[in-house]
Amino acid sequence: MIRELHRDVRWTDDGDVLLWRSQPNKPGGVVTTTGAGLVLCPMVFGWPNPTAALRPTGPACIRYPARGIGTLWELPVERPDSALCDLLGTTRAGLLIALADPADTPTLARRLDVTPGAVSQHLRVLRDAGLVRTARDGRTALHLRTSRADLLLGK
């Protein structure tokens, strides 16, 4: 398990000490567990190198880069059920789900992995059906689903 935390984190031969290799502008070090235990702490803001206190007074703590942090700030994409996709089509159903919060066309295009032009065409159809409302603010247009769309989605 220790070997899989990070390429620079290793056990020493005696099994009681944790070691990481030297890095540019940062010397390597040895963390002695002192019999008080070892705490493994994933970190998000210290990427990409592991850190530790070299002389812990309690349990030794190794902070290592958490996996999957590239998607930490992405909004989860809720997928529409198959009946809604059969009724509206996958892209339009996905747009209605994504419009739980106001969004602009480029944001919707990125979230649904379609072109902004395709999003605009689908939004026009949904707007004509009374399922989406659009409000303009200068050069930006924000889209939001209507209460009719909420009823359709069972929200």
Side-chain angles (χ1 to χ4, degrees):
M1 180 176 101
I2 295 294
R3 195 175 313 138
E4 293 176 13
L5 291 179
H6 192 272
R7 68 181 178 277
D8 295 342
V9 178
R10 298 282 184 261
W11 281 113
T12 61
D13 290 337
D14 61 12
D16 188 37
V17 178
L18 205 58
L19 166 79
W20 74 91
R21 290 182 238 144
S22 295
Q23 299 160 15
N25 302 323
K26 184 175 182 181
V30 177
V31 179
T32 306
T33 59
T34 66
L38 176 65
V39 177
L40 301 176
C41 181
M43 65 178 172
V44 174
F45 298 107
W47 185 86
N49 301 317
T51 63
L54 294 180
R55 294 187 188 97
T57 56
C61 180
I62 303 297
R63 292 175 292 280
Y64 62 95
R67 292 184 183 141
I69 61 174
T71 60
L72 184 63
W73 290 274
E74 286 184 5
L75 294 173
V77 177
E78 185 180 342
R79 303 286 179 213
D81 61 25
S82 62
L84 190 63
C85 288
D86 291 345
L87 177 66
L88 298 174
T90 305
T91 304
R92 289 181 187 153
L95 279 169
L96 285 183
I97 296 291
L99 286 173
D101 296 314
D104 60 5
T105 302
T107 300
L108 292 168
R110 280 191 304 273
R111 287 189 71 193
L112 297 173
D113 197 27
V114 295
T115 65
V119 169
S120 293
Q121 290 174 3
H122 289 297
L123 285 171
R124 182 186 47 77
V125 172
L126 293 171
R127 201 171 23 258
D128 290 348
L131 299 174
V132 170
R133 189 171 9 113
T134 300
R136 294 207 173 270
D137 182 21
R139 298 179 79 186
T140 303
L142 288 179
H143 313 287
L144 181 66
R145 69 181 184 218
T146 63
S147 56
R148 180 184 283 179
D150 288 339
L151 288 172
L152 179 66
L153 296 171
K155 304 280 181 187

